[in-house]
Amino acid sequence: MISDPFSATLSPQATPSKLGAQVRGTGLISTRNWIRHRYDASTYRRILERFGTGHSLDLSNIIAPTWYPIEVVDSLWDGVREVAYGSLSLEQQQSSFEAAMVENGRYIAADNLGSIYRVYLTLFSSPLRLVKALPRFGETYFHQIDVEPEVPDPKEGWARCRARGLEGVRHIAPVICGWLTYALDMVGARSPKVEEKNYRLGVYDPEELHFEIFWLS
């Protein structure tokens, strides 16, 4: 019988370290809760077993404001891919896993923007304001990353956004796409769509992420 895994020897930092990008516990908690709700008990236990072989973090005791090594969440997503979709063909595995990661991002947005980060929706209550505030949202979830939105024409209903500092986090692109699509919907965007061009082309570990953001204005 498996507990909700790992020991407490990782010693996550109470404040950000200088050793690369980190993820705040808020996003980890939402990802853990999404896995619990998305998969059956047997699959969830196997994911925890797979994750526990490489980490010593107790997923039952994540502290929301604490910073954790960003590799933790990527390894957790690796566990989801291997356990939940590993028996599928490579093509089916990729499409099913990508859809699940988008769903994970939407879950994080619903979980956070509907509760602890609700004030942000009041401050940035339109698609354009939300896009321009993406650097602030980046700082909310991650440490030591650089986010640069660009809105070529505010009337057109589209924008671009670059993110640096997430090298090695192979599955982050569809999660961010899901989060941003849901957030745009919450501030009144019609038919929002977000794509990351590298992931779309099969490049899963670029030095820079390039998001293309669309909505009906």
Side-chain angles (χ1 to χ4, degrees):
M1 184 173 180
I2 306 168
S3 62
D4 213 18
F6 340 104
S7 68
T9 59
L10 185 63
S11 299
Q13 302 293 316
T15 56
S17 76
K18 297 181 180 180
L19 301 178
Q22 294 179 305
V23 60
R24 199 182 293 274
T26 307
L28 275 176
I29 290 170
S30 295
T31 294
R32 177 199 65 193
N33 292 345
W34 170 75
I35 292 173
R36 284 175 168 169
H37 287 90
R38 177 66 171 77
Y39 303 99
D40 60 36
S42 174
T43 300
Y44 178 61
R45 286 196 299 270
R46 289 165 60 206
I47 289 169
L48 296 187
E49 282 184 322
R50 163 65 173 76
F51 177 75
T53 60
H55 293 279
S56 51
L57 171 67
D58 184 354
L59 286 185
S60 66
N61 191 35
I62 299 170
I63 302 169
T66 297
W67 295 102
Y68 296 86
I70 202 165
E71 294 83 0
V72 167
V73 69
D74 206 47
S75 295
L76 191 54
W77 289 327
D78 270 337
V80 171
R81 178 167 187 157
E82 180 178 311
V83 173
Y85 305 105
S87 63
L88 302 178
S89 68
L90 288 178
E91 183 176 350
Q92 290 177 319
Q93 182 183 133
Q94 179 58 29
S95 61
S96 298
F97 178 70
E98 182 175 348
M101 292 296 94
V102 171
E103 180 185 321
N104 184 189
R106 293 179 62 86
Y107 185 99
I108 293 170
D111 196 27
N112 298 166
L113 297 178
S115 55
I116 58 175
Y117 296 151
R118 177 179 289 276
V119 65
Y120 285 149
L121 296 186
T122 302
L123 296 173
F124 314 119
S125 55
S126 72
L128 188 58
R129 288 179 180 176
L130 180 72
V131 169
K132 290 182 176 180
L134 288 177
R136 183 174 297 188
F137 281 106
E139 293 172 357
T140 298
Y141 285 101
F142 303 104
H143 172 60
Q144 291 194 344
I145 73 166
D146 183 27
V147 178
E148 296 181 7
E150 179 185 357
V151 184
D153 187 343
K155 297 180 181 179
E156 287 297 317
W158 74 281
R160 294 187 289 260
C161 186
R162 294 186 300 173
R164 291 185 292 272
L166 292 167
E167 299 93 330
V169 190
R170 293 160 295 168
H171 311 307
I172 193 67
V175 177
I176 293 176
C177 288
W179 185 96
L180 186 49
T181 301
Y182 191 94
L184 285 165
D185 188 62
M186 291 183 78
V187 296
R190 293 184 296 140
S191 303
K193 182 180 180 180
V194 182
E195 294 182 339
E196 200 285 311
K197 71 175 187 179
N198 294 293
Y199 202 89
R200 189 176 63 221
L201 296 173
V203 180
Y204 304 132
D205 186 16
E207 292 184 2
E208 215 173 67
L209 297 172
H210 293 264
F211 294 94
E212 297 175 348
I213 307 162
F214 306 90
W215 68 91
L216 296 179
S217 56

